């Protein structure tokens, strides 16, 4: 065997490293209603890992179990070697948690908020003061240290939440929909900051989101639907499973059109949410053939590179946002209004 073959057979470092978070066959029910149905995945060291799913898919339930707020009905969640159900107090010291609901006190200054947080973790005096200075610098709030949080923009308040979660220097940070209510600029800043944390401080970050564009920024994703894991991998890997482009046709009678396209061209055609969907390479040529074959029957055509929503559709047979549900944008706005 040649040297290059030997080197090629050695596993990469990241696959050798034991997982920082290990979720095994987690099951949870509220009364008798299933919320998580046997979910398993691993999160590797210094990975930015996303838990993506539509509303009601089980993200918050998973988040509550990982952050030790809830004990699962069955299965196990191990973080940094601690069992979330069996060693909650030990684990809480090791992880940072940023909840969706606001936890900062708006009447207090940024520094005062962090002082209270520090005391909870047994930090006092000058070590706490210097840690507060350092962390405020880190999240870009050093010049606002003495200002009350109520004078901050939504993005700044979120960054203060983040500073709270990071004050005790955790190696794992869990965030539940951290960009809820933020404008696009503040959302981008927060994601950039999460990447910096991963790259410069090797923090392992697990973040829940219902936004595809955020999921795209994760190193790896677990996609949930109705309490089940429907996909696991890097965004690129997941999209690559769709051969070619995605063609979407709008028609007055989508079912009839789909049947005729199937019969004529012998391709896999699906009708999802009233639209005809076809995954195909050489999509432009194919679309021309279809339009010529069925003149006047097609109202609109779109061709796009596969997206994470296409992955979701392929795995579940339905759209991420079901008919009548809010669009991504609307959902963000309506959640923002709740705050
Ligand atoms: P997500 O965070 O993805 O929106 P959740 O974990 O909040 O999903 O919810 C998963 C399922 O569990 C949903 O069907 C939801 O209605 C249900 N559920 C969540 N919290 C409760 C609760 N406290 N009591 C009863 N059912 C709940």
């Amino acid at each position: 065997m040649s040297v290059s073959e030997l080197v090629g057979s050695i596993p990469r470092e990241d696959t050798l490293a034991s997982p920082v978070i290990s979720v095994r066959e987690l099951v949870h029910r509220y009364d008798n209603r299933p919320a998580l149905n046997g979910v398993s995945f691993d999160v590797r060291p210094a990975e930015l890992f996303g838990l993506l799913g539509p509303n009601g898919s089980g993200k918050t339930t998973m988040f509550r179990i990982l952050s030790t707020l809830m004990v699962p009905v069955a299965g196990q969640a191990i973080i940094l070697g601690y069992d979330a159900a069996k060693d909650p107090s030990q684990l809480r010291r090791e992880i940072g948690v940023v909840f969706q609901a606001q936890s900062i006190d708006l009447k207090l200054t940024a520094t005062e908020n962090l002082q209270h947080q520090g005391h909870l973790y047994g930090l006092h005096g000058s070590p706490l003061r210097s840690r507060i200075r350092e962390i405020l610098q880190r999240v870009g709030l050093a010049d606002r240290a003495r200002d009350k949080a109520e004078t901050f923009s939504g993005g700044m308040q979120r960054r203060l939440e983040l500073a709270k979660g990071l004050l005790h220097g955790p190696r794992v940070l869990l965030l539940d929909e951290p960009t809820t209510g933020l404008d696009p600029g503040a959302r981008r800043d927060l994601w950039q900051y999460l990447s910096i944390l991963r790259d410069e401080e090797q923090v392992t970050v697990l973040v829940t989101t219902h936004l595809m564009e955020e999921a795209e920024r994760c190193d790896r994703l677990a996609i949930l639907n109705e309490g089940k894991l429907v996909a696991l991998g890097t965004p690129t890997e997941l999209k690559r499973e769709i051969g070619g482009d995605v063609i979407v046709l709008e028609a007055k009678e989508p079912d009839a059109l789909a049947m005729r396209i199937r019969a004529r061209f012998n391709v896999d055609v699906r009708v999802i949410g009233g639209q005809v969907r076809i995954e195909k390479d050489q999509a432009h040529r194919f679309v021309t053939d279809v339009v010529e074959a069925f003149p006047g029957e097609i109202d609109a055509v779109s061709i796009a590179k596969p997206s994470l929503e296409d992955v979701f559709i392929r795995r579940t047979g339905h759209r991420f946002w079901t008919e009548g549900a809010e669009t991504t944008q609307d959902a963000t706005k309506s959640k923002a209004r709740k705050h």
Side-chain angles (χ1 to χ4, degrees):
M1 189 183 267
S2 74
V3 172
S4 66
E5 276 171 324
L6 261 177
V7 170
S9 70
I10 296 171
R12 284 176 49 207
E13 197 183 336
D14 59 359
T15 51
L16 270 178
S18 50
V20 171
I21 300 175
S22 181
V23 171
R24 288 284 159 269
E25 292 296 326
L26 266 196
V27 175
H28 197 71
R29 285 186 284 273
Y30 295 101
D31 300 322
N32 259 336
R33 245 176 104 195
L36 289 176
N37 202 348
V39 176
S40 303
F41 60 82
D42 285 340
V43 182
R44 299 165 190 156
E47 189 166 53
L48 181 40
F49 188 88
L51 211 52
L52 171 71
N55 292 336
S57 57
K59 302 182 298 293
T60 305
T61 304
M62 174 66 74
F63 185 86
R64 287 194 195 129
I65 293 169
L66 295 177
S67 56
T68 77
L69 293 185
M70 228 165 56
V71 174
V73 167
Q76 230 184 2
I78 308 280
I79 305 182
L80 294 165
Y82 298 104
D83 186 318
K86 293 192 184 135
D87 311 308
S89 44
Q90 199 66 26
L91 177 56
R92 249 174 262 153
R93 261 176 246 143
E94 304 287 335
I95 59 174
V97 182
V98 178
F99 295 101
Q100 209 177 125
Q102 192 161 62
S103 76
I104 53 171
D105 189 332
L106 296 179
K107 294 288 172 201
L108 300 182
T109 67
T111 300
E112 287 164 347
N113 267 290
L114 295 178
Q115 275 166 343
H116 284 296
Q117 180 74 2
H119 295 159
L120 290 177
Y121 283 91
L123 297 166
H124 297 277
S126 70
L128 175 57
R129 280 196 296 278
S130 72
R131 178 67 184 152
I132 289 175
R133 270 198 302 276
E134 184 186 328
I135 205 81
L136 285 176
Q137 188 79 39
R138 257 277 172 227
V139 299
L141 289 174
D143 57 338
R144 302 294 300 267
R146 290 161 187 233
D147 293 342
K148 286 189 179 173
E150 67 187 358
T151 66
F152 291 1
S153 68
M156 290 161 74
Q157 288 177 359
R158 278 272 105 188
R159 280 187 273 144
L160 184 54
E161 294 278 358
L162 204 56
K164 264 184 81 172
L166 290 168
L167 191 68
H168 59 295
R171 283 153 56 207
V172 175
L173 183 66
L174 310 175
L175 306 103
D176 191 16
E177 309 232 0
T179 58
T180 297
L182 297 188
D183 61 56
R187 217 186 283 165
R188 257 195 317 275
D189 285 351
L190 195 109
W191 274 90
Q192 200 164 11
Y193 182 65
L194 295 182
S195 316
I196 292 172
L197 262 182
R198 171 201 58 194
D199 296 340
E200 294 182 6
E201 301 189 19
Q202 282 72 53
V203 175
T204 303
V205 181
L206 179 140
V207 56
T208 69
T209 182
H210 63 280
L211 301 175
M212 303 280 176
E213 59 271 31
E214 294 194 345
E216 289 277 359
R217 304 187 64 146
C218 295
D219 297 325
R220 279 194 320 132
L221 287 175
I223 306 184
L224 293 180
N225 181 51
E226 295 175 357
K228 295 198 190 92
L229 183 76
V230 294
L232 182 66
T234 69
T236 310
E237 274 165 14
L238 293 175
K239 289 184 287 185
R240 204 181 290 141
E241 77 181 41
I242 296 174
D245 297 325
V246 177
I247 302 165
V248 176
L249 306 174
E250 306 262 358
K252 283 183 196 61
E253 295 186 32
D255 292 309
L257 179 66
M259 218 156 63
R260 294 171 66 199
I261 294 176
R262 212 176 283 126
R264 171 87 177 249
F265 295 98
N266 192 26
V267 287
D268 190 15
V269 187
R270 290 202 201 185
V271 177
I272 309 248
Q275 295 176 321
V276 178
R277 298 176 64 91
I278 306 156
E279 294 168 7
K280 190 100 181 63
D281 47 7
Q282 310 274 353
H284 284 90
R285 197 172 302 164
F286 182 72
V287 161
T288 312
D289 293 346
V290 170
V291 172
E292 275 173 14
F294 306 108
E297 289 188 43
I298 298 164
D299 297 333
V301 174
S302 78
I303 300 174
K305 294 261 165 264
S307 67
L308 286 173
E309 163 136 46
D310 297 317
V311 174
F312 186 83
I313 289 172
R314 174 181 257 253
R315 299 282 179 116
T316 65
H318 61 83
R319 299 191 62 170
F320 196 80
W321 300 103
T322 46
E323 283 89 289
E326 303 159 300
T327 66
T328 330
Q329 285 289 325
D330 290 344
T332 314
K333 279 186 210 143
S334 78
K335 281 211 171 191
R337 279 196 295 273
K338 286 186 208 151
H339 279 249

